[in-house]
């Protein structure tokens, strides 16, 4: 894979609007598996359109790998469009459940920290408290870091979800798709990675 | 037909007929029997019974490759369906529009490991463009219509529709789906075209390279190349997209490409690629591919652009429109030095002048008429045919480029021959590959097909593997000797009522070819050639195109006597 730009692997946040049909998840994961793309997190849920689901995933790789992954995804019949969140301003959230070990001595301090993070206690045990935290990745990572010294027994993260900011629906698709759903018909976007665009090279498709 | 009589199975045939599908290739079985039963009500659709589902799907591919129209094949569940796997993978890699219909066990049995159940949609997920299980009979015609649309649109490919037996039997009350309009292929952006033109104008050593995605743009590409006066290379899949008789043609690139094509790529400063995917058999070592060139890549599949090679000007869209746009405002480039170099490289071809596989293949392909369809199987004979045949128009060369499927050539030639009964459908095969689907001789017999001409280049070896063993494994000929167990091909053909001819010396060849081609029936010609010939030029796997070995290296003596099988080969 050619990756002339930022060869260092990074996380890329991508959403896909997909048809809600059997095997869609298998199709997508099999495509990722076969081509060796690594999905770091994945969340799926229904959308405001009946028959369409939304997936948000974090793909790790250099820009070239991620571009290629998205273009391969777009070719699947089930995939109506792809949104590369790095192209627009976006909000993202993740929900995590963290079970922290407590002792009589640490109990108050743990609760205090959780309060600072606006974490909610969802289960109270004799030796552990379970917190629910919602936020962007930075906040969740910071919370987990804070709790680490007390002893984290278990965590469960939902994976990130994201939407473009502002009143636009977060179309356009990053690449191209001949979907049937006219309302969601993507605007054809750049073939060259954005870095090229930024350098003043015209957008050629 | 009254509405009461309509079933899923009948709705299937009615939908295919409404889509103009006149011929399907297939093989029946328990889970598809309602469809075969319903077939008797649709005389407008011809069903061709193959002798193996692999034969059926390769025939459908041959049909599709020759005509550009959808090829349709049918199989039963389980073993019937899994026998389609090779053909589906083949069609996927070569972008062939195929509709594969499979039966499956009844819905309530699916997932229970019932008799002859296989999860064929699961199995074929990565080797189909899309696939479906029809769980509701009311969906069936719509799904078939959509499957055909998907198979043909954009970058074509295979689509599989799996129909449970009870859905085939269920009464159907809806309408019969009519064809979707062909979706328009997006036109390239004018800015992209303008940048490409600028690059071409500035070029000192330009070259155009066209692949299988440009077959329907042959006329436009020819006009483009002539307008700019730029030499053209056609890949294995693109042979015929530019007339071989044109002085601008440089032949095929890649592992067994021509000296001119590979040298031109290695020195080019601008490479315009149209409808090709930079397969590793074409590029050799990627970072040694066109090292000095700015690359313009025209493709309708966005995922192909930048997948393998760094693209300087991506042009996404229809090859025809792109070629037309690029030809506008063209001015002949005045590049005497480039022309001189190319003229010198073009002299570096050697027509095979002594008896061997190359000599035999040349004698056959020299007899091709412009309309003849030439199919090949996979191996040395395939590369020789690709090097030596001269195609003037597209869709006359049918072979398995992406998957390299042995056993492909003969059934594909049957499909192509049935699609165009008025032209000769010639197939060149090796003695190894022919035996992978030789049972399709029965198909020739059953339908009294008269225009299929089979040529077997018999070197008693799995020749291409032997060549690699010779070059890279110190001639340890492991499991490639066929001479001790090949059938008598003439008797085999005779057993199916197919006339057959043989030549084993250069002197016999012209007469044998005449007799073979003039036979009014489909016929077979076995050409027995020396065992150990190589195909050259050759770029060793993993080497750059510039590291091409131009001619066959001298054979080391004392030779092969250490190896018992090869010893036998010598004495044979
Ligand atoms: C189904 C399949 N199995 C194995 C191979 C590997 N393979 C490529 S070429 C070749 C030898 C072909 O021998 P033959 O058909 O006699 O043709 P020749 O090379 O001698 O012209 C083999 C085994 C293949 N391409 N396809």
């Amino acid at each position: 894979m050619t990756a002339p730009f930022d060869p260092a692997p990074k996380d890329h946040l991508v959403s896909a609007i997909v048809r809600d049909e059997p095997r869609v998840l298998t199709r997508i994961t099999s495509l990722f598996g076969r081509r060796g793309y690594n999905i770091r997190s994945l969340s799926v849920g229904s959308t405001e359109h009946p028959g369409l689901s939304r997936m948000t995933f974090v793909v790790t790789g250099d820009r070239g790998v991620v571009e290629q992954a998205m273009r391969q995804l777009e070719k699947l019949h089930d995939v109506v469009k792809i949104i590369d969140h790095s192209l627009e301003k976006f909000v993202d959230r993740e929900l995590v459940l963290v079970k922290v070990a407590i002792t009589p001595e640490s109990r108050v301090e743990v609760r205090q920290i959780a309060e600072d993070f606006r974490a909610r206690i969802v289960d109270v045990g004799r030796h552990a408290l379970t917190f629910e935290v919602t936020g962007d990745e930075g906040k969740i990572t910071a919370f987990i870091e804070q709790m680490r010294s007390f002893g984290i027994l278990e965590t469960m993260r939902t994976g990130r979800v994201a939407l473009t900011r502002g009143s636009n629906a977060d179309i356009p698709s990053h690449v191209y798709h001949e979907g049937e759903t006219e309302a969601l018909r993507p605007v054809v976007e750049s073939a060259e990675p954005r870095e090229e665009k930024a350098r003043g090279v015209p957008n050629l498709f | 037909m009254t509405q009461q009589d309509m079933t899923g199975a009948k709705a299937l045939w009615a939908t295919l007929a409404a889509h103009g599908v006149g011929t399907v290739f297939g093989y029946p079985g328990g889970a598809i029997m309602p469809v075969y039963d319903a077939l008797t009500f649709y005389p407008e659709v011809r069903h061709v019974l193959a002798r193996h589902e692999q034969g059926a799907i390769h025939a459908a591919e041959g049909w599709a490759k020759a005509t550009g129209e959808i090829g349709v094949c049918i199989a039963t569940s389980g073993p019937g369906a899994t026998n389609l796997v090779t053909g589906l993978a083949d069609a996927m890699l070569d972008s062939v529009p195929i509709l594969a219909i499979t039966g499956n066990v009844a819905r309530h049995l699916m997932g229970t490991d019932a008799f002859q159940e296989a999860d064929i949609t699961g199995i074929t997920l990565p080797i189909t463009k899309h696939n479906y299980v029809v769980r509701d009979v009311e969906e069936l015609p719509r799904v078939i219509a959509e499957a055909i649309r998907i198979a043909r649109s954009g970058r074509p490919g295979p689509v599989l529709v799996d129909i449970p037996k009870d859905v085939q039997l269920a009464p159907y009350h809806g309408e019969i789906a009519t064809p979707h309009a062909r979706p328009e292929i997006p036109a390239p952006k004018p800015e992209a075209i303008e940048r490409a033109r600028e690059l071409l104008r500035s070029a000192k050593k330009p070259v155009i390279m066209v692949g299988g995605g440009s077959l329907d743009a042959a006329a436009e590409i020819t006009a483009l190349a002539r307008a700019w006066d730029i030499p053209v290379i056609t890949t294995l899949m693109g042979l015929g997209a530019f007339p071989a008789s044109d002085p601008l043609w440089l032949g095929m690139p890649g592992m067994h490409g021509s000296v001119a094509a590979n040298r031109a790529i290695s020195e080019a400063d601008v490479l315009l690629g149209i409808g090709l995917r930079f397969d590793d058999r074409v590029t050799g070592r990627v970072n040694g591919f066109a090292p000095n060139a700015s690359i313009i890549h025209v493709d309708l599949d966005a995922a192909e652009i930048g997948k393998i090679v760094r693209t300087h000007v991506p042009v996404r869209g229809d090859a025809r429109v792109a070629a037309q746009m690029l030809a506008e405002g063209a001015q002949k480039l005045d590049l005497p030095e480039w022309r001189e170099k190319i003229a010198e490289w073009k002299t570096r071809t050697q027509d095979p002048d002594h008896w061997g596989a190359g000599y035999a293949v040349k004698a056959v392909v020299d007899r091709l008429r412009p309309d003849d369809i030439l199919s090949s199987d996979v191996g040395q004979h395939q590369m020789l045919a690709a090097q030596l045949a001269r195609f003037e128009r597209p869709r006359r060369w049918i072979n398995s480029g992406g998957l390299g499927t042995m056993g492909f050539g003969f059934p594909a030639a049957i499909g192509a021959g049935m699609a165009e009964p008025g032209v000769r459908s010639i197939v060149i095969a090796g003695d190894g590959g022919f035996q992978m689907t030789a049972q399709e001789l029965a198909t020739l017999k059953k339908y009294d097909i008269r225009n299929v001409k089979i040529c077997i280049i018999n070197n008693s070896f799995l020749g291409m593997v032997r060549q690699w063993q010779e070059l890279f494994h110190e001639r340890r000929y492991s499991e490639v000797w066929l001479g001790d167990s090949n059938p008598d091909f003439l008797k085999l053909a005779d057993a199916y009522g197919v006339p057959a001819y043989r030549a084993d010396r250069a002197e016999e060849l012209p007469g044998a070819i005449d007799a073979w081609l003039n036979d009014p029936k489909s016929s077979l010609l076995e050409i027995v050639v020396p065992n150990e010939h190589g195909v050259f030029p050759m770029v060793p796997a993993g080497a750059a195109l510039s590291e091409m070995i131009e001619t066959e290296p001298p054979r080391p003596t004392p030779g092969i006597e250490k190896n018992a099988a090869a010893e036998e080969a010598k004495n044979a």
Side-chain angles (χ1 to χ4, degrees):
Chain A
M1 193 114 333
T2 46
F5 328 95
D6 72 290
K10 275 201 307 211
D11 283 351
H12 296 260
L13 188 64
V14 176
S15 289
I17 307 292
V18 302
R19 274 176 241 272
D20 188 9
E21 273 167 26
R23 284 209 207 271
V24 171
L25 196 57
T26 322
R27 257 197 199 99
I28 289 175
T29 48
S30 117
L31 185 151
F32 274 73
R34 179 170 96 77
R35 298 195 184 258
Y37 310 136
N38 191 21
I39 307 179
R40 219 168 57 73
S41 110
L42 171 67
S43 43
V44 192
S46 52
T47 67
E48 68 285 4
H49 294 278
L52 292 181
S53 299
R54 185 178 176 113
M55 293 183 175
T56 302
F57 33 80
V58 178
V59 201
T60 315
D62 63 47
R63 188 71 221 170
V65 168
V66 175
E67 283 272 338
Q68 180 59 209
M70 287 168 47
R71 288 187 206 166
Q72 294 292 347
L73 265 187
E74 267 251 318
K75 289 204 296 183
L76 295 179
H77 176 68
D78 300 312
V79 175
V80 177
K81 73 176 184 145
I82 302 277
I83 299 135
D84 177 354
H85 290 293
S86 58
L87 292 177
E88 317 268 341
K89 291 202 169 104
F90 63 94
V91 283
D92 72 316
R93 286 292 179 272
E94 187 168 0
L95 185 148
V96 63
L97 297 175
V98 187
K99 194 184 286 177
V100 184
I102 48 164
T103 60
E105 297 76 50
S106 68
R107 190 180 190 98
V108 175
E109 197 185 343
V110 168
R111 277 171 163 272
Q112 185 56 53
I113 294 171
E115 222 164 87
D116 294 345
F117 277 88
R118 299 215 193 101
R120 291 203 312 142
I121 296 178
V122 290
D123 185 55
V124 180
R126 277 211 323 147
H127 304 292
L129 291 174
T130 304
F131 296 101
E132 171 199 311
V133 196
T134 316
D136 63 19
E137 214 186 16
K139 174 179 168 185
I140 287 173
T141 308
F143 179 75
I144 290 175
E145 281 314 309
Q146 288 286 317
M147 290 300 171
R148 207 177 283 286
S149 57
F150 302 102
I152 291 176
L153 300 175
E154 276 181 297
T155 60
M156 175 63 216
R157 304 173 75 142
T158 55
R160 289 164 77 181
V161 294
L163 281 182
T164 308
R165 280 185 188 276
S167 49
N168 292 338
D170 57 4
I171 326 294
S173 186
H174 176 72
V175 264
Y176 166 84
H177 188 263
E178 309 172 320
E180 287 178 308
T181 328
E182 201 51 52
L184 293 171
R185 203 178 196 95
V187 172
V188 170
E189 266 273 345
S190 131
E192 291 283 348
R194 274 163 311 124
E195 284 82 343
E196 283 265 310
K197 251 205 280 191
R199 281 191 238 138
V201 177
N203 165 17
L204 295 172
F205 51 85
Chain B
M1 190 162 308
T2 65
Q3 277 287 352
Q4 292 89 42
D5 291 339
M6 205 45 150
T7 60
K10 285 178 178 169
L12 166 67
W13 291 117
T15 308
L16 290 176
H19 280 74
V21 173
T23 302
V24 303
F25 301 88
Y27 208 96
I32 194 81
M33 276 175 59
V35 166
Y36 275 84
D37 182 48
L39 172 65
T40 58
F41 295 88
Y42 290 86
E44 63 268 40
V45 185
R46 169 174 64 165
H47 178 276
V48 177
L49 178 70
R51 283 291 158 103
H52 186 290
E53 289 84 355
Q54 186 180 1
I57 188 164
H58 291 329
E61 286 185 274
W63 177 289
K65 285 190 173 188
T67 60
E69 295 302 325
I70 190 142
V72 182
C73 63
I74 300 197
T76 189
S77 66
T82 54
N83 275 346
L84 296 178
V85 164
T86 303
L88 290 170
D90 192 90
M92 187 71 178
L93 279 186
D94 283 353
S95 309
V96 190
I98 291 291
L99 172 64
I101 293 160
T102 49
N104 211 328
V105 298
R107 277 170 297 178
H108 70 276
L109 292 172
M110 285 177 92
T112 66
D113 303 324
F115 176 66
Q116 291 196 332
E117 190 201 355
D119 175 13
I120 195 63
T121 40
I123 292 168
T124 60
L125 210 67
I127 51 166
T128 47
K129 195 172 168 191
H130 193 61
N131 63 24
Y132 298 86
V133 182
V134 182
R135 289 176 197 277
D136 176 355
V137 68
E138 298 302 327
E139 292 277 285
L140 181 56
R142 184 191 64 77
V143 167
I144 295 293
E146 190 173 282
I148 292 175
R149 179 182 66 79
I150 293 173
R152 295 165 53 182
S153 63
R155 179 180 182 173
V159 178
L160 181 137
V161 180
D162 194 34
I163 313 175
K165 190 171 181 177
D166 58 328
V167 173
Q168 300 167 35
L169 289 167
Y172 177 73
H173 305 292
E175 301 286 308
I176 295 306
T178 48
H180 289 261
R182 269 201 197 225
E184 250 177 59
I185 305 174
K189 280 201 171 178
E191 304 92 280
I193 295 288
E194 189 41 49
R195 261 187 83 198
R197 265 201 222 107
E198 268 167 35
L199 210 50
L200 289 176
R201 266 185 229 120
S202 70
K204 297 280 168 283
K205 300 172 173 182
V207 64
I208 298 173
M209 189 162 139
V210 299
S214 52
L215 293 178
D216 293 330
E220 290 79 2
I221 288 171
T222 305
L224 159 74
R226 287 177 182 161
W228 287 89
D229 212 7
I230 298 176
V232 179
I233 292 166
T234 44
T235 70
L236 179 72
M237 299 306 292
L239 289 173
F242 187 78
S245 58
D246 193 298
L248 287 173
W249 187 62
L250 304 187
M252 175 175 82
M255 180 171 273
H256 291 291
S258 67
V259 173
N262 283 348
R263 296 271 179 251
I265 291 169
S266 300
E267 283 206 21
D269 63 350
V270 174
L271 187 149
L272 166 60
I274 307 178
L276 80 173
R277 59 190 187 86
F278 296 101
D279 184 85
D280 56 287
R281 286 291 188 266
V282 164
T283 60
R285 181 160 45 78
V286 173
N287 57 10
F289 177 80
N292 310 313
S294 294
I295 293 179
I296 306 163
H297 189 180
V298 180
D299 207 297
L300 61 72
D301 182 352
E304 286 309 314
I305 297 179
K307 185 179 85 176
I308 309 284
V309 299
R310 174 96 166 82
T311 307
H312 300 77
V313 183
V315 181
R316 184 174 177 280
D318 185 354
R320 276 167 81 164
V321 181
Q324 249 164 11
M325 290 168 85
L326 284 169
E328 278 161 29
Q331 15 172 276
K332 280 201 181 357
L333 299 173
D334 181 28
L335 307 166
E337 280 170 39
W338 186 227
R339 252 158 256 303
E340 228 168 85
K341 275 195 165 171
I342 283 175
E344 194 272 316
W345 290 327
K346 279 181 79 168
T347 62
R348 275 151 67 179
T349 53
Q350 286 150 337
D351 270 349
D353 53 5
H354 58 281
W355 182 235
Y359 185 99
V361 168
K362 175 127 182 36
V364 171
V365 299
D366 277 353
R367 295 289 298 269
L368 286 177
R369 303 190 291 232
D371 276 353
D372 287 345
I373 297 170
L374 180 66
S375 303
S376 85
D377 207 67
V378 170
Q380 291 185 313
H381 62 278
Q382 173 193 28
M383 290 299 120
L384 290 166
Q387 288 175 345
L388 296 167
R390 298 286 175 262
F391 296 98
E392 292 298 312
R393 41 172 292 213
R395 299 203 178 281
R396 300 295 92 178
W397 165 242
I398 294 179
N399 82 123
S400 167
L403 199 65
T405 305
M406 280 171 77
F408 169 88
F410 175 39
I414 294 177
M418 293 192 94
E420 296 193 32
V423 309
R424 295 189 305 200
S425 180
I426 296 170
V427 52
I428 295 186
D431 48 324
F434 180 70
Q435 290 180 68
M436 287 202 172
T437 44
Q439 72 279 9
E440 299 307 332
L441 286 166
T443 310
L444 294 183
K445 180 177 180 177
K446 184 173 176 73
Y447 299 96
D448 192 22
I449 298 166
R450 288 167 176 263
N451 60 339
V452 175
K453 298 286 172 184
I454 307 155
C455 171
I456 299 176
I457 306 290
N458 184 356
N459 56 9
S460 297
F461 267 120
L462 295 174
M464 188 56 99
V465 180
R466 186 208 55 73
Q467 175 169 348
W468 283 47
Q469 290 176 345
E470 175 177 337
L471 292 171
F472 311 117
H473 299 275
E474 297 169 321
R475 305 179 90 198
R476 287 184 294 277
Y477 289 167
S478 175
E479 300 293 336
V480 288
W481 175 240
L482 303 179
D484 53 1
S485 48
N486 269 341
D488 179 330
F489 287 107
L490 268 53
K491 282 192 187 155
L492 180 68
D494 186 51
Y496 288 99
V498 172
Y501 305 86
R502 177 184 284 143
D504 50 18
R505 280 178 300 126
E507 305 78 70
E508 293 170 6
L509 196 54
I513 290 177
D514 277 340
W516 168 61
L517 288 178
N518 293 337
D519 195 296
K521 294 183 71 177
S522 287
S523 55
L524 181 148
L525 170 64
E526 178 194 11
I527 310 179
V528 182
V529 296
N531 305 134
E532 290 184 283
H533 271 264
V535 184
F536 289 89
M538 179 181 193
V539 178
L545 294 188
S546 54
E547 294 162 326
M548 176 173 48
I549 307 166
E550 285 192 27
T551 49
E552 182 143 17
R555 196 167 292 280
T557 44
I560 56 179
E561 44 278 351
K562 267 187 259 159
N563 184 303
E567 176 70 358
E568 223 181 318
K570 260 180 58 184
N571 299 333

